[in-house]
Amino acid sequence: NAGVTQTPKFRILKIGQSMTLQCTQDMNHNYMYWYRQDPGMGLKLIYYSVGAGITDKGEVPNGYNVSRSTTEDFPLRLELAAPSQTSVYFCASSYDPPGEQYFGPGTRLTVT
Amino acid sequence: KNQVEQSPQSLIILEGKNCTLQCNYTVSPFSNLRWYKQDTGRGPVSLTIMTFSENTKSNGRYTATLDADTKQSSLHITASQLSDSASYICVVRRNNDMRFGAGTRLTVKP
């Protein structure tokens, strides 16, 4: 069981570039989440999904898009990178909403 | 409204000493409260979960308390070890919404 895996671990983008952060879980969890963690701040929910084909916005969705075509994968897309998107991004999954969330190792993104 | 505040922001203690981290919340309605440990460069890992009716829950050297009336929780670490150096995050669930505290950065020195 690998749990939740994320790629890449690090990435530097130029302003206006696009990229996709990959997230995969092998625990057959229905619920998946994307968070961003800024220095000195709590994690903020970007998007979440309650199952394949179903996604919804979290607290800070602007500038991001997601898709959920399979139970295992939940990629996060940045279309036009901005310096404000410099952050550490965590993907997580859970069996049900009140249950424990299992986090991936994170992707550190810098936009310059 | 619907905030989670943790104190202190950072803490340095000597190996073997005890410490207590605080979490105050205004999240309502309350579903449950979790404490997570986040090692540097890693994702958070759950330590304990507490529901409305629970006052105390232990996980090895970690003991969490909850006072739902005053909306306060604490995480007590006993006989600290170097491996306890990490950020500790308090997370309060409100229905399907989770609110994260900014965390307390604990450093245990030999």
Side-chain angles (χ1 to χ4, degrees):
Chain A
N1 247 358
V4 179
T5 57
Q6 291 182 237
T7 56
K9 283 187 166 40
F10 304 93
R11 183 73 186 268
I12 299 175
L13 279 183
K14 293 191 186 305
I15 294 172
Q17 286 185 320
S18 302
M19 78 163 294
T20 299
L21 283 66
Q22 301 291 346
C23 174
T24 300
Q25 53 94 7
D26 62 0
M27 296 172 282
N28 203 31
H29 286 167
N30 284 325
Y31 295 83
M32 295 188 74
Y33 314 83
W34 273 106
Y35 294 92
R36 59 178 288 171
Q37 185 178 37
D38 299 324
M41 306 286 287
L43 276 78
K44 298 245 190 269
L45 182 65
I46 305 171
Y47 270 95
Y48 66 99
S49 170
V50 303
I54 306 170
T55 62
D56 210 344
K57 295 177 180 179
E59 193 179 352
V60 290
N62 290 345
Y64 307 94
N65 278 303
V66 293
S67 59
R68 184 95 181 271
S69 57
T70 67
T71 299
E72 295 77 21
D73 300 307
F74 190 40
L76 177 72
R77 178 90 178 150
L78 282 71
E79 290 294 348
L80 291 169
S84 60
Q85 294 178 305
T86 293
S87 188
V88 181
Y89 291 84
F90 288 99
C91 178
S93 71
S94 67
Y95 179 69
D96 54 24
E100 176 181 354
Q101 291 191 5
Y102 294 84
F103 286 82
T107 294
R108 184 174 293 276
L109 175 66
T110 301
V111 182
T112 62
Chain B
K1 189 72 176 164
N2 293 321
Q3 301 290 330
V4 178
E5 299 206 351
Q6 294 186 242
S7 61
Q9 277 190 326
S10 61
L11 183 62
I12 301 174
I13 61 173
L14 292 176
E15 188 179 11
K17 297 296 186 184
N18 303 336
C19 68
T20 300
L21 315 180
Q22 299 291 343
C23 173
N24 295 340
Y25 62 93
T26 57
V27 175
S28 181
F30 172 90
S31 293
N32 62 47
L33 183 150
R34 281 187 187 271
W35 283 93
Y36 281 84
K37 178 186 179 189
Q38 184 177 18
D39 291 315
T40 300
R42 308 290 293 271
V45 175
S46 179
L47 291 174
T48 66
I49 178 173
M50 303 190 75
T51 57
F52 187 87
S53 59
E54 295 174 303
N55 300 119
T56 304
K57 185 169 280 189
S58 292
N59 177 3
R61 294 179 297 101
Y62 300 102
T63 299
T65 65
L66 174 66
D67 185 334
D69 291 332
T70 61
K71 299 188 175 181
Q72 296 180 324
S73 177
S74 66
L75 182 69
H76 186 74
I77 304 174
T78 304
S80 60
Q81 300 176 357
L82 299 179
S83 59
D84 291 332
S85 293
S87 287
Y88 292 85
I89 302 172
C90 174
V91 184
V92 182
R93 176 175 289 279
R94 175 178 75 113
N95 300 324
N96 285 337
D97 178 37
M98 290 172 60
R99 296 287 163 153
F100 288 74
T104 292
R105 177 73 205 170
L106 175 66
T107 302
V108 180
K109 294 201 167 186

mmCIF file of all heavy atoms in Angstrom, chain B residues 10-41:
data_model
loop_
_atom_site.group_PDB
_atom_site.id
_atom_site.type_symbol
_atom_site.label_atom_id
_atom_site.label_comp_id
_atom_site.label_asym_id
_atom_site.label_seq_id
_atom_site.Cartn_x
_atom_site.Cartn_y
_atom_site.Cartn_z
ATOM 1 N N SER B 10 5.323 28.616 18.304
ATOM 2 C CA SER B 10 6.491 27.736 18.323
ATOM 3 C C SER B 10 6.929 27.513 19.758
ATOM 4 O O SER B 10 6.620 28.318 20.658
ATOM 5 C CB SER B 10 7.641 28.327 17.502
ATOM 6 O OG SER B 10 8.046 29.555 18.041
ATOM 7 N N LEU B 11 7.627 26.403 19.955
ATOM 8 C CA LEU B 11 8.001 25.993 21.304
ATOM 9 C C LEU B 11 9.285 25.181 21.212
ATOM 10 O O LEU B 11 9.421 24.322 20.327
ATOM 11 C CB LEU B 11 6.878 25.137 21.892
ATOM 12 C CG LEU B 11 6.988 24.625 23.316
ATOM 13 C CD1 LEU B 11 7.055 25.784 24.299
ATOM 14 C CD2 LEU B 11 5.791 23.739 23.627
ATOM 15 N N ILE B 12 10.216 25.469 22.097
ATOM 16 C CA ILE B 12 11.461 24.695 22.177
ATOM 17 C C ILE B 12 11.546 24.089 23.568
ATOM 18 O O ILE B 12 11.428 24.818 24.567
ATOM 19 C CB ILE B 12 12.699 25.579 21.899
ATOM 20 C CG1 ILE B 12 12.611 26.215 20.516
ATOM 21 C CG2 ILE B 12 13.986 24.748 22.026
ATOM 22 C CD1 ILE B 12 13.721 27.217 20.231
ATOM 23 N N ILE B 13 11.740 22.778 23.649
ATOM 24 C CA ILE B 13 11.874 22.110 24.942
ATOM 25 C C ILE B 13 13.052 21.152 24.897
ATOM 26 O O ILE B 13 13.525 20.779 23.814
ATOM 27 C CB ILE B 13 10.592 21.353 25.339
ATOM 28 C CG1 ILE B 13 10.275 20.256 24.320
ATOM 29 C CG2 ILE B 13 9.427 22.301 25.483
ATOM 30 C CD1 ILE B 13 9.116 19.350 24.738
ATOM 31 N N LEU B 14 13.511 20.747 26.065
ATOM 32 C CA LEU B 14 14.595 19.772 26.151
ATOM 33 C C LEU B 14 14.033 18.361 26.123
ATOM 34 O O LEU B 14 12.921 18.099 26.641
ATOM 35 C CB LEU B 14 15.420 19.990 27.418
ATOM 36 C CG LEU B 14 16.239 21.288 27.459
ATOM 37 C CD1 LEU B 14 16.930 21.419 28.810
ATOM 38 C CD2 LEU B 14 17.265 21.323 26.326
ATOM 39 N N GLU B 15 14.773 17.483 25.535
ATOM 40 C CA GLU B 15 14.400 16.069 25.480
ATOM 41 C C GLU B 15 14.071 15.551 26.872
ATOM 42 O O GLU B 15 14.780 15.850 27.848
ATOM 43 C CB GLU B 15 15.557 15.271 24.880
ATOM 44 C CG GLU B 15 15.252 13.817 24.591
ATOM 45 C CD GLU B 15 16.443 13.103 23.980
ATOM 46 O OE1 GLU B 15 17.559 13.684 23.988
ATOM 47 O OE2 GLU B 15 16.277 11.991 23.483
ATOM 48 N N GLY B 16 12.964 14.829 26.950
ATOM 49 C CA GLY B 16 12.550 14.259 28.230
ATOM 50 C C GLY B 16 11.522 15.098 28.968
ATOM 51 O O GLY B 16 10.848 14.606 29.877
ATOM 52 N N LYS B 17 11.401 16.371 28.590
ATOM 53 C CA LYS B 17 10.426 17.253 29.241
ATOM 54 C C LYS B 17 9.038 17.058 28.637
ATOM 55 O O LYS B 17 8.885 16.531 27.535
ATOM 56 C CB LYS B 17 10.851 18.719 29.085
ATOM 57 C CG LYS B 17 12.179 19.043 29.768
ATOM 58 C CD LYS B 17 12.110 18.880 31.260
ATOM 59 C CE LYS B 17 13.388 19.344 31.930
ATOM 60 N NZ LYS B 17 13.364 19.104 33.409
ATOM 61 N N ASN B 18 8.035 17.524 29.397
ATOM 62 C CA ASN B 18 6.647 17.492 28.930
ATOM 63 C C ASN B 18 6.276 18.852 28.348
ATOM 64 O O ASN B 18 6.914 19.874 28.658
ATOM 65 C CB ASN B 18 5.692 17.188 30.085
ATOM 66 C CG ASN B 18 6.025 15.888 30.788
ATOM 67 O OD1 ASN B 18 6.645 14.989 30.216
ATOM 68 N ND2 ASN B 18 5.624 15.787 32.048
ATOM 69 N N CYS B 19 5.236 18.869 27.533
ATOM 70 C CA CYS B 19 4.732 20.145 27.023
ATOM 71 C C CYS B 19 3.255 20.011 26.686
ATOM 72 O O CYS B 19 2.737 18.898 26.525
ATOM 73 C CB CYS B 19 5.513 20.611 25.795
ATOM 74 S SG CYS B 19 5.295 19.603 24.334
ATOM 75 N N THR B 20 2.581 21.167 26.616
ATOM 76 C CA THR B 20 1.153 21.202 26.292
ATOM 77 C C THR B 20 0.918 22.249 25.218
ATOM 78 O O THR B 20 1.357 23.390 25.340
ATOM 79 C CB THR B 20 0.308 21.524 27.541
ATOM 80 O OG1 THR B 20 0.531 20.519 28.525
ATOM 81 C CG2 THR B 20 -1.171 21.558 27.177
ATOM 82 N N LEU B 21 0.215 21.827 24.177
ATOM 83 C CA LEU B 21 -0.132 22.713 23.078
ATOM 84 C C LEU B 21 -1.628 23.013 23.151
ATOM 85 O O LEU B 21 -2.421 22.124 23.492
ATOM 86 C CB LEU B 21 0.195 22.049 21.734
ATOM 87 C CG LEU B 21 1.561 21.356 21.623
ATOM 88 C CD1 LEU B 21 1.739 20.749 20.250
ATOM 89 C CD2 LEU B 21 2.683 22.298 21.974
ATOM 90 N N GLN B 22 -2.006 24.236 22.800
ATOM 91 C CA GLN B 22 -3.383 24.663 22.947
ATOM 92 C C GLN B 22 -4.075 24.889 21.605
ATOM 93 O O GLN B 22 -3.434 25.296 20.621
ATOM 94 C CB GLN B 22 -3.451 25.971 23.741
ATOM 95 C CG GLN B 22 -2.906 25.903 25.148
ATOM 96 C CD GLN B 22 -3.775 25.061 26.081
ATOM 97 O OE1 GLN B 22 -4.935 24.771 25.786
ATOM 98 N NE2 GLN B 22 -3.215 24.640 27.199
ATOM 99 N N CYS B 23 -5.371 24.636 21.600
ATOM 100 C CA CYS B 23 -6.195 24.877 20.411
ATOM 101 C C CYS B 23 -7.526 25.455 20.864
ATOM 102 O O CYS B 23 -8.241 24.817 21.642
ATOM 103 C CB CYS B 23 -6.411 23.569 19.649
ATOM 104 S SG CYS B 23 -7.566 23.692 18.260
ATOM 105 N N ASN B 24 -7.856 26.656 20.413
ATOM 106 C CA ASN B 24 -9.144 27.273 20.685
ATOM 107 C C ASN B 24 -9.882 27.417 19.367
ATOM 108 O O ASN B 24 -9.294 27.797 18.355
ATOM 109 C CB ASN B 24 -8.967 28.659 21.317
ATOM 110 C CG ASN B 24 -8.321 28.586 22.679
ATOM 111 O OD1 ASN B 24 -8.323 27.550 23.334
ATOM 112 N ND2 ASN B 24 -7.719 29.684 23.105
ATOM 113 N N TYR B 25 -11.177 27.140 19.385
ATOM 114 C CA TYR B 25 -11.920 27.193 18.130
ATOM 115 C C TYR B 25 -13.257 27.881 18.322
ATOM 116 O O TYR B 25 -13.820 27.923 19.416
ATOM 117 C CB TYR B 25 -12.118 25.782 17.544
ATOM 118 C CG TYR B 25 -12.917 24.849 18.419
ATOM 119 C CD1 TYR B 25 -14.298 24.726 18.269
ATOM 120 C CD2 TYR B 25 -12.293 24.073 19.385
ATOM 121 C CE1 TYR B 25 -15.031 23.863 19.057
ATOM 122 C CE2 TYR B 25 -13.021 23.202 20.187
ATOM 123 C CZ TYR B 25 -14.386 23.108 20.020
ATOM 124 O OH TYR B 25 -15.104 22.253 20.815
ATOM 125 N N THR B 26 -13.742 28.443 17.207
ATOM 126 C CA THR B 26 -15.074 29.037 17.208
ATOM 127 C C THR B 26 -15.964 28.333 16.192
ATOM 128 O O THR B 26 -17.057 28.814 15.900
ATOM 129 C CB THR B 26 -15.001 30.542 16.865
ATOM 130 O OG1 THR B 26 -14.355 30.694 15.589
ATOM 131 C CG2 THR B 26 -14.219 31.300 17.919
ATOM 132 N N VAL B 27 -15.457 27.216 15.634
ATOM 133 C CA VAL B 27 -16.197 26.471 14.619
ATOM 134 C C VAL B 27 -17.506 25.956 15.203
ATOM 135 O O VAL B 27 -17.529 25.377 16.279
ATOM 136 C CB VAL B 27 -15.347 25.285 14.103
ATOM 137 C CG1 VAL B 27 -16.152 24.429 13.128
ATOM 138 C CG2 VAL B 27 -14.074 25.792 13.452
ATOM 139 N N SER B 28 -18.580 26.152 14.464
ATOM 140 C CA SER B 28 -19.888 25.705 14.916
ATOM 141 C C SER B 28 -20.759 25.400 13.696
ATOM 142 O O SER B 28 -20.717 26.137 12.704
ATOM 143 C CB SER B 28 -20.530 26.800 15.761
ATOM 144 O OG SER B 28 -21.792 26.389 16.233
ATOM 145 N N PRO B 29 -21.556 24.352 13.715
ATOM 146 C CA PRO B 29 -21.610 23.333 14.764
ATOM 147 C C PRO B 29 -20.395 22.412 14.724
ATOM 148 O O PRO B 29 -19.782 22.228 13.679
ATOM 149 C CB PRO B 29 -22.884 22.552 14.405
ATOM 150 C CG PRO B 29 -23.012 22.700 12.913
ATOM 151 C CD PRO B 29 -22.494 24.073 12.605
ATOM 152 N N PHE B 30 -20.073 21.836 15.848
ATOM 153 C CA PHE B 30 -18.874 21.021 16.001
ATOM 154 C C PHE B 30 -19.186 19.561 15.697
ATOM 155 O O PHE B 30 -20.181 19.023 16.171
ATOM 156 C CB PHE B 30 -18.395 21.177 17.448
ATOM 157 C CG PHE B 30 -17.278 20.253 17.835
ATOM 158 C CD1 PHE B 30 -15.960 20.629 17.661
ATOM 159 C CD2 PHE B 30 -17.543 19.018 18.401
ATOM 160 C CE1 PHE B 30 -14.930 19.786 18.040
ATOM 161 C CE2 PHE B 30 -16.523 18.160 18.786
ATOM 162 C CZ PHE B 30 -15.213 18.551 18.603
ATOM 163 N N SER B 31 -18.361 18.935 14.888
ATOM 164 C CA SER B 31 -18.501 17.495 14.612
ATOM 165 C C SER B 31 -17.416 16.690 15.337
ATOM 166 O O SER B 31 -17.719 15.761 16.064
ATOM 167 C CB SER B 31 -18.432 17.207 13.120
ATOM 168 O OG SER B 31 -19.536 17.749 12.444
ATOM 169 N N ASN B 32 -16.162 17.021 15.053
ATOM 170 C CA ASN B 32 -15.063 16.368 15.772
ATOM 171 C C ASN B 32 -13.814 17.224 15.680
ATOM 172 O O ASN B 32 -13.773 18.207 14.935
ATOM 173 C CB ASN B 32 -14.801 14.942 15.265
ATOM 174 C CG ASN B 32 -14.386 14.895 13.804
ATOM 175 O OD1 ASN B 32 -13.541 15.637 13.368
ATOM 176 N ND2 ASN B 32 -14.999 13.992 13.042
ATOM 177 N N LEU B 33 -12.821 16.852 16.460
ATOM 178 C CA LEU B 33 -11.552 17.584 16.480
ATOM 179 C C LEU B 33 -10.436 16.572 16.391
ATOM 180 O O LEU B 33 -10.421 15.572 17.112
ATOM 181 C CB LEU B 33 -11.446 18.412 17.763
ATOM 182 C CG LEU B 33 -10.207 19.300 17.938
ATOM 183 C CD1 LEU B 33 -10.562 20.535 18.773
ATOM 184 C CD2 LEU B 33 -9.029 18.587 18.547
ATOM 185 N N ARG B 34 -9.506 16.836 15.484
ATOM 186 C CA ARG B 34 -8.336 15.962 15.329
ATOM 187 C C ARG B 34 -7.062 16.758 15.579
ATOM 188 O O ARG B 34 -6.996 17.936 15.268
ATOM 189 C CB ARG B 34 -8.247 15.399 13.909
ATOM 190 C CG ARG B 34 -9.157 14.257 13.610
ATOM 191 C CD ARG B 34 -8.864 13.671 12.248
ATOM 192 N NE ARG B 34 -9.842 12.670 11.861
ATOM 193 C CZ ARG B 34 -9.749 11.380 12.147
ATOM 194 N NH1 ARG B 34 -8.708 10.940 12.821
ATOM 195 N NH2 ARG B 34 -10.687 10.543 11.771
ATOM 196 N N TRP B 35 -6.082 16.058 16.113
ATOM 197 C CA TRP B 35 -4.725 16.571 16.164
ATOM 198 C C TRP B 35 -3.898 15.777 15.148
ATOM 199 O O TRP B 35 -3.936 14.545 15.126
ATOM 200 C CB TRP B 35 -4.134 16.418 17.564
ATOM 201 C CG TRP B 35 -4.615 17.431 18.547
ATOM 202 C CD1 TRP B 35 -5.664 17.309 19.408
ATOM 203 C CD2 TRP B 35 -4.052 18.719 18.789
ATOM 204 N NE1 TRP B 35 -5.788 18.439 20.155
ATOM 205 C CE2 TRP B 35 -4.815 19.330 19.798
ATOM 206 C CE3 TRP B 35 -2.966 19.433 18.246
ATOM 207 C CZ2 TRP B 35 -4.547 20.604 20.289
ATOM 208 C CZ3 TRP B 35 -2.695 20.695 18.726
ATOM 209 C CH2 TRP B 35 -3.476 21.270 19.741
ATOM 210 N N TYR B 36 -3.155 16.533 14.328
ATOM 211 C CA TYR B 36 -2.260 15.932 13.351
ATOM 212 C C TYR B 36 -0.825 16.312 13.693
ATOM 213 O O TYR B 36 -0.557 17.404 14.202
ATOM 214 C CB TYR B 36 -2.549 16.444 11.934
ATOM 215 C CG TYR B 36 -3.736 15.827 11.238
ATOM 216 C CD1 TYR B 36 -5.025 16.313 11.453
ATOM 217 C CD2 TYR B 36 -3.577 14.784 10.333
ATOM 218 C CE1 TYR B 36 -6.113 15.762 10.792
ATOM 219 C CE2 TYR B 36 -4.660 14.229 9.664
ATOM 220 C CZ TYR B 36 -5.923 14.733 9.895
ATOM 221 O OH TYR B 36 -6.998 14.185 9.241
ATOM 222 N N LYS B 37 0.094 15.411 13.362
ATOM 223 C CA LYS B 37 1.524 15.700 13.456
ATOM 224 C C LYS B 37 2.067 15.802 12.043
ATOM 225 O O LYS B 37 1.804 14.928 11.193
ATOM 226 C CB LYS B 37 2.244 14.580 14.202
ATOM 227 C CG LYS B 37 3.753 14.787 14.306
ATOM 228 C CD LYS B 37 4.422 13.569 14.940
ATOM 229 C CE LYS B 37 5.927 13.778 15.024
ATOM 230 N NZ LYS B 37 6.651 12.553 15.437
ATOM 231 N N GLN B 38 2.809 16.896 11.778
ATOM 232 C CA GLN B 38 3.379 17.078 10.452
ATOM 233 C C GLN B 38 4.892 17.234 10.560
ATOM 234 O O GLN B 38 5.392 18.263 11.024
ATOM 235 C CB GLN B 38 2.778 18.295 9.745
ATOM 236 C CG GLN B 38 3.265 18.471 8.318
ATOM 237 C CD GLN B 38 2.624 19.631 7.587
ATOM 238 O OE1 GLN B 38 2.058 20.525 8.193
ATOM 239 N NE2 GLN B 38 2.685 19.614 6.256
ATOM 240 N N ASP B 39 5.601 16.204 10.150
ATOM 241 C CA ASP B 39 7.056 16.295 10.098
ATOM 242 C C ASP B 39 7.457 17.196 8.938
ATOM 243 O O ASP B 39 6.735 17.310 7.934
ATOM 244 C CB ASP B 39 7.675 14.906 9.919
ATOM 245 C CG ASP B 39 7.494 14.039 11.143
ATOM 246 O OD1 ASP B 39 7.722 14.539 12.258
ATOM 247 O OD2 ASP B 39 7.113 12.858 10.996
ATOM 248 N N THR B 40 8.636 17.817 9.052
ATOM 249 C CA THR B 40 9.116 18.727 8.014
ATOM 250 C C THR B 40 9.162 18.013 6.667
ATOM 251 O O THR B 40 9.716 16.921 6.556
ATOM 252 C CB THR B 40 10.506 19.256 8.388
ATOM 253 O OG1 THR B 40 10.416 19.940 9.625
ATOM 254 C CG2 THR B 40 11.007 20.224 7.318
ATOM 255 N N GLY B 41 8.548 18.632 5.658
ATOM 256 C CA GLY B 41 8.581 18.070 4.310
ATOM 257 C C GLY B 41 7.638 16.899 4.092
ATOM 258 O O GLY B 41 7.728 16.217 3.073
#
